[in-house]
Amino acid sequence: MTPEQVAAASKPVVLDLGDAFSRDPTTLRRARLLGISGWAFYISGRAGALGDVRAETAAAALGFIAPDAVADGWDAAARVVRPFEVAAASLAECCRWGAQRLDPLPGTERLSALVERAVVAAEASGMPLFAAWRAMPLPDLSPGARSAAGLRLLREHFTGAYLLAVRAAGMTPLEAVLAGPEGEAGAVACGWPPPYPPVGPLVRRRLWAEAVTNRLAAPAFAALGPAVGAELVELLHRTRADLA
């Protein structure tokens, strides 16, 4: 497989597995222990890796979430706990989920090694969230924890690449969400209020942006080579199937 083919084949699985820990009930309980809402935990848990920045900066880095919705979560969390502490708690929950759910699965040690190779080789230019998360030390070095954290990093890498591609396509983040598979429901989930622009003219641009995303993410997988890249894709799909 070419690096772009590996990126295209792995992207949907990485986007799913890289965020799976956040849907775990135990993760949501961590938010309550911190005294903040689940939404505040999600926003600060992602953008908090940037440190004590303004809500506008967090919104610019997150990209696809409406700035007002980001500000609601960011400011609510900041009144209780510093953003970096929320990010550290989020990473701890990610590693906990990985140790619990991925360690028992066959192939997790190999998966962690391949994902980490891709993460190290990935280009971080223009992707502040990915760069910030890659610099954070892991609290757990078990194969499952490393796999979960690495998948989360690759998810941020894909998301950052897609944001760059969307802007290069002449689209706004809202337009990209509307033209995506979830349409208006996705826009609502990301905090964008109606009315919405027409979607029809945006679909071709979104498809172009998807292709550019794969091209931007490809260097991370080029480091693996064709055979190992195909192995990573197989491991990712098998892991998702085993979890299901």
Side-chain angles (χ1 to χ4, degrees):
M1 299 180 72
T2 68
E4 286 188 32
Q5 288 173 330
V6 174
S10 63
K11 182 167 58 180
V13 186
V14 167
L15 293 178
D16 182 22
L17 294 182
D19 193 45
F21 81 95
S22 70
R23 302 186 293 271
D24 185 86
T26 304
T27 300
L28 298 177
R29 283 199 293 273
R30 184 65 171 264
R32 291 196 293 272
L33 290 175
L34 288 173
I36 59 179
S37 68
W39 179 249
F41 185 79
Y42 175 76
I43 293 297
S44 282
R46 277 187 68 196
L50 299 171
D52 295 328
V53 299
R54 294 180 180 273
E56 294 86 351
T57 304
L62 291 169
F64 296 105
I65 303 174
D68 286 347
V70 172
D72 286 345
W74 185 263
D75 293 339
R79 286 193 289 269
V80 179
V81 59
R82 294 183 66 185
F84 193 81
E85 293 178 36
V86 183
S90 179
L91 180 58
E93 289 302 318
C94 177
C95 289
R96 174 202 56 77
W97 178 87
Q100 290 179 352
R101 299 297 306 278
L102 300 181
D103 267 336
L105 301 181
T108 294
E109 187 151 4
R110 179 61 171 167
L111 176 65
S112 67
L114 298 188
V115 167
E116 285 175 342
R117 283 171 60 182
V119 166
V120 169
E123 173 57 56
S125 299
M127 303 182 190
L129 273 184
F130 171 72
W133 276 107
R134 189 165 63 176
M136 289 188 68
L138 295 183
D140 184 341
L141 296 179
S142 68
R146 287 163 46 212
S147 293
L151 289 167
R152 178 178 185 169
L153 274 165
L154 283 183
R155 187 179 192 277
E156 292 292 359
H157 186 60
F158 273 122
T159 303
Y162 186 49
L163 183 58
L164 291 174
V166 162
R167 301 303 293 125
M171 301 172 69
T172 66
L174 170 58
E175 289 173 336
V177 172
L178 287 171
E182 297 181 2
E184 291 189 1
V188 171
C190 290
W192 298 98
Y196 302 121
V199 175
L202 304 174
V203 174
R204 183 173 296 181
R205 289 188 182 187
R206 187 187 70 81
L207 293 175
W208 182 87
E210 291 279 3
V212 172
T213 299
N214 297 335
R215 200 172 307 137
L216 291 173
F221 303 104
L224 302 179
V228 178
E231 180 188 1
L232 173 60
V233 171
E234 181 183 351
L235 277 172
L236 287 169
H237 283 270
R238 188 192 312 160
T239 299
R240 182 165 67 171
D242 289 342
L243 284 173

